[in-house]
Amino acid sequence: MARPRTFDPDTAVDQAMEVFWRQGYGATTPQDLVDAIGIGKGSLYHAFGSKHALFERALRRYRDTQTAALVETLERPGPVRERLGSALRALAAMDLADPDHRGCMAVNAAAELAGVDPEAVAHVRRMLDRTELAFRALIEEGQRAGEVAADRDPAALGSLLMNTVVGMRVVARVSDGPDRLDRVIDATLAII
């Protein structure tokens, strides 16, 4: 008779996500995961199959929570530039407040695993696509409301905004304050 699980798999994925986010995939050992989750290696492998399978679940969790938070900010009522500025400033503040300077787990995974791990890269690509589509929808809304010039290409602006966020998240990892990120945000808003 199999013993019942003594841990919550969702909580375990959250805990693993924190470890992978802080250390990266390659530097995270199964022992690091066992220590963070508080279960034995056998339970870890029984529940998740492999370190890589747990990493993929952690990436999906990160994608779902991070993208949902961004989209929620972008979909609030109010002027488009104001919502965009709020979203960008919230991301910058979150990254700057992080004592570990982790940046974006998806961006970190892309930098570490591009060309090596197609499954992880596909998860990152889906997150970037969702982010870009959310920005594009905001630009289109702004165009309908007359807040963004109608002759601007919403797909191009969506790509620019997504790329801006990726760059900001990398810069935040090595920033000692908000000045550079504030300049990026102000310039981005002026372009839109």
Side-chain angles (χ1 to χ4, degrees):
M1 178 181 225
R3 290 188 320 195
R5 284 191 180 147
T6 58
F7 69 99
D8 175 33
D10 288 331
T11 301
V13 171
D14 288 339
Q15 292 164 327
M17 181 182 74
E18 292 297 326
V19 176
F20 286 126
W21 192 356
R22 186 176 56 254
Q23 297 178 191
Y25 177 76
T28 298
T29 66
Q31 188 62 49
D32 293 331
L33 296 168
V34 164
D35 292 344
I37 298 170
I39 61 174
K41 280 186 186 177
S43 295
L44 178 79
Y45 288 113
H46 179 72
F48 300 107
S50 67
K51 171 185 157 182
H52 192 269
L54 180 54
F55 179 66
E56 285 186 2
R57 284 185 64 175
L59 264 180
R60 281 194 303 273
R61 175 70 50 83
Y62 180 84
R63 180 190 73 210
D64 293 345
T65 58
Q66 293 290 306
T67 304
L70 176 66
V71 170
E72 180 183 315
T73 301
L74 295 177
E75 290 181 345
R76 291 180 183 155
V80 166
R81 277 188 183 80
E82 190 176 294
R83 287 184 278 155
L84 178 57
S86 293
L88 296 176
R89 290 185 201 292
L91 285 173
M94 178 182 64
D95 284 344
L96 291 172
D98 180 3
D100 293 326
H101 297 281
R102 295 173 299 176
C104 173
M105 182 179 173
V107 172
N108 299 346
E112 178 184 1
L113 301 172
V116 177
D117 186 338
E119 294 88 7
V121 169
H123 287 293
V124 172
R125 188 177 301 115
R126 282 191 288 277
M127 182 176 183
L128 297 177
D129 289 347
R130 286 176 63 185
T131 302
E132 189 171 320
L133 286 173
F135 284 133
R136 179 179 180 169
L138 182 71
I139 296 301
E140 290 170 342
E141 179 185 338
Q143 288 176 320
R144 286 189 301 275
E147 297 178 56
V148 177
D151 65 343
R152 305 297 301 272
D153 180 356
L157 288 176
S159 295
L160 174 68
L161 290 169
M162 185 274 302
N163 196 55
T164 299
V165 166
V166 169
M168 286 176 52
R169 309 246 13 223
V170 170
V171 168
R173 291 194 71 179
V174 296
S175 285
D176 57 0
D179 294 344
R180 179 174 287 149
L181 295 176
D182 286 342
R183 287 192 305 271
V184 168
I185 293 168
D186 292 342
T188 300
L189 294 173
I191 290 170
I192 304 303

